[in-house]
Amino acid sequence: MFQDRAKVYVEGGRGGNGVVSFRREAHVPRGGPDGGDGGRGGDVVLVADRSRRDLASMRIARHYRAERGRHGQGANKHGGRGDDLIVLVPPGTTVEGLDGERYDLVADGQRAIVAAGGLGGHGNKRFTSSTRQAPRFSENGLNGASGWIELHLKLLADAGLVGLPNAGKSSLLSTLTRAAPKVADYPFTTIEPVLGTIDDGERQLVLADIPGLIEGAAEGAGLGHEFLAHVERCRVLVHLLEIGPGAEPEEAYRVVRGELEAHGHGLAALPELIALSKSDLLPAADVEALLAEWRERSPGAIAVRAISSATRAGLDELSGDLFSVAQRDEGEAEAAAEAEDDGFESEYRVYKPAAADGYEAIEIEDGVFEITGRGIEMLVERHDLGNFEAVAYLEQRLMEIGVIKALRKAGFEDGDEVRIGDQAFDLHPSD
Ligand SMILES: Nc1nc2c(ncn2[C@@H]2O[C@H](COP(=O)(O)OP(=O)(O)OP(=O)(O)O)[C@@H](O)[C@H]2O)c(=O)[nH]1
Ligand SMILES: [Mg+2]
């Protein structure tokens, strides 16, 4: 079954810890600090890959965790970076990252970091100063970003085939391309989108065959309308109207246009090519009359064609129309790209960690204060609060940043409890 949605848990690798170490030399009882830094955790990265057809595999494997960074070592050895976890998704996948950014992976190879790895901690070497020559503390690595994200696939096709059930959409796709969608004389034969490619020797066009639409599809009638998302990014819609004996092409047109409007997302505004289908079922003169009538009635359409998948009548003209639309669009896109110059880059965005500055100190109960703010929380998360030296260092940093001052403003007195993130400790900044 074709899957165009998935919800998965992603987690960047935890950063490696910095280490406490002192140089050892034959004749020196205790050398200087030489603890290396921990490596950064790996990222979870989505990469668009043509080999992927849909999101089905992501509904089975739902947890994606990148590797953690290696811990630092003595002799100033820094820990290695954790490996990124690469997750292949079909081109056309859109996702909202943990940071709320939207990514649209359109071209093969485009990437989005959806869960960044945590930073590695500094080794004790980094905390050496003129007054602290032998620091016996180091930083812990930080957790990677983590959480649930939702992926949506909107197929990338050049042309979308729309029409009532039985209009002949799948027959057209199987005649024009090598795709082999199911064809049958009952409605809703097609229940999931199928792509096929036509090739004129110079360029390829992808056609999307989707389920039929009926009146009320936008309210869930028939197979509903959600599959229309797969033709939202088409350059052109081929609207098939059956013209066999007893067919009512006018009514069919009204219903399908109504559903395209109701779906929204710009579908109704897409260029439209009207294809009067199953023309083999009517005498040639009737087909000609209908063609003239529909051309008159549809001045906005790119073209009106009478086609038959049974006899191939009109199919070369139809594909010629599609190629000329594509050619025109490519010309326009090139001009736009020249004007803009950074087309590829601007299509996706890279993970940016949330701003680390800014914090707030409030008294949450008598003698208990809470400091919120990502930067401060990270600072605390990195240190072992059981280590006296680390706590002294932390107090000094909090003082420098102005947090102690903010605490005092909020009513803090020496020895009161302070909560930051999931840590609670008593602060004695004046000692
Ligand atoms: N005579 C004739 N029959 C056709 C033609 N195209 C399709 N048909 C028949 O019409 C019926 C429906 O064709 P499909 O291609 O399955 O129609 P569809 O639009 O894909 O239908 P859904 O998937 O149900 O929406 C089948 O019995 C086809 O054989 C045509 O050009 N001429
Ligand atoms: Mg079909």
Side-chain angles (χ1 to χ4, degrees):
M1 179 77 185
F2 178 89
Q3 298 290 358
D4 54 10
R5 275 151 206 253
K7 193 171 175 191
V8 297
Y9 183 82
V10 289
E11 190 178 313
R14 191 183 160 87
N17 296 336
V19 73
V20 176
S21 164
F22 293 93
R23 199 165 52 234
R24 308 224 178 272
E25 284 167 39
H27 308 291
V28 189
R30 178 123 194 232
D34 69 354
D37 301 340
R40 207 174 160 284
D43 301 329
V44 178
V45 187
L46 302 185
V47 179
D49 191 278
R50 268 196 299 255
S51 70
R52 294 287 147 148
R53 196 178 73 96
D54 69 4
L55 300 172
S57 64
M58 304 194 78
R59 295 175 72 109
I60 303 162
R62 306 202 331 139
H63 291 80
Y64 296 87
R65 292 188 172 90
E67 197 186 20
R68 63 169 303 162
R70 254 72 71 191
H71 299 321
Q73 292 178 27
N76 290 320
K77 279 206 199 99
H78 298 318
R81 197 181 182 290
D83 285 340
D84 289 342
L85 180 67
I86 303 291
V87 183
L88 300 183
V89 296
T93 298
T94 64
V95 63
E96 189 171 322
L98 295 171
D99 51 2
E101 296 262 21
R102 283 213 74 82
Y103 302 93
D104 200 357
L105 301 172
V106 182
D108 196 47
Q110 272 184 334
R111 341 166 24 101
I113 297 173
V114 287
L119 294 175
H122 288 141
N124 66 333
K125 166 107 193 315
R126 301 264 185 171
F127 297 99
T128 315
S129 68
S130 55
T131 53
R132 197 192 309 110
Q133 292 184 359
R136 262 163 302 216
F137 69 98
S138 58
E139 283 175 335
N140 295 326
L142 292 175
N143 284 325
S146 64
W148 290 88
I149 56 170
E150 274 184 49
L151 291 87
H152 292 262
L153 171 62
K154 291 183 177 186
L155 289 177
L156 298 168
D158 298 290
L161 308 181
V162 296
L164 291 186
N166 271 336
K169 302 178 292 296
S170 301
S171 305
L172 178 62
L173 186 79
S174 67
T175 318
L176 285 179
T177 75
R178 294 155 68 108
K182 196 167 158 196
V183 169
D185 64 352
Y186 54 82
F188 305 121
T189 307
T190 303
I191 54 172
E192 56 192 46
V194 183
L195 297 182
T197 307
I198 39 175
D199 197 325
D200 72 349
E202 264 180 55
R203 65 164 60 71
Q204 290 188 324
L205 286 186
V206 177
L207 305 192
D209 173 30
I210 57 171
L213 286 163
I214 58 170
E215 182 119 54
E219 281 85 50
L223 293 176
H225 69 111
E226 286 184 1
F227 54 77
L228 281 175
H230 296 295
V231 293
E232 282 171 15
R233 309 210 224 191
C234 290
R235 318 162 186 266
V236 53
L237 296 180
V238 180
H239 191 155
L240 278 84
L241 300 169
E242 185 177 343
I243 54 165
E248 295 177 349
E250 257 175 79
E251 174 64 3
Y253 187 78
R254 184 192 66 76
V255 167
V256 171
R257 289 300 307 178
E259 296 307 323
L260 295 178
E261 297 272 357
H263 176 78
H265 294 95
L267 266 194
L270 283 178
E272 184 182 45
L273 207 155
I274 295 175
L276 305 176
S277 92
K278 310 192 191 179
S279 64
D280 57 291
L281 297 177
L282 287 185
D286 294 1
V287 173
E288 282 308 315
L290 278 167
L291 259 180
E293 187 188 318
W294 278 88
R295 285 191 173 132
E296 174 94 2
R297 182 185 296 157
S298 329
I302 292 179
V304 180
R305 300 284 178 195
I307 60 160
S308 165
S309 299
T311 64
R312 299 195 59 104
L315 296 191
D316 289 345
E317 290 85 346
L318 179 84
S319 40
D321 294 336
L322 294 177
F323 279 111
S324 51
V325 172
Q327 196 169 12
R328 189 198 64 199
D329 278 13
E330 271 155 29
E332 282 170 15
E334 259 167 45
E338 265 169 41
E340 217 182 280
D341 193 39
D342 62 348
F344 186 88
E345 292 294 327
S346 66
E347 280 175 27
Y348 73 104
R349 312 171 84 159
V350 195
Y351 179 88
K352 288 193 243 63
D357 50 350
Y359 57 87
E360 205 181 13
I362 48 163
E363 183 162 21
I364 47 175
E365 48 189 89
D366 202 26
V368 181
F369 293 79
E370 186 177 49
I371 303 171
T372 51
R374 187 63 196 133
I376 302 293
E377 284 162 22
M378 272 172 26
L379 184 66
V380 171
E381 203 181 319
R382 302 186 84 143
H383 288 280
D384 169 11
L385 297 182
N387 178 319
F388 173 76
E389 272 190 47
V391 174
Y393 170 79
L394 200 59
E395 281 179 4
Q396 186 196 330
R397 291 288 297 133
L398 294 178
M399 189 88 82
E400 285 163 9
I401 298 167
V403 177
I404 305 291
K405 213 169 169 188
L407 274 172
R408 292 211 191 281
K409 232 188 201 162
F412 169 87
E413 286 171 28
D414 269 26
D416 280 348
E417 183 179 326
V418 173
R419 293 185 189 164
I420 301 177
D422 48 16
Q423 301 280 4
F425 48 99
D426 297 340
L427 258 189
H428 303 272
S430 308
D431 289 0

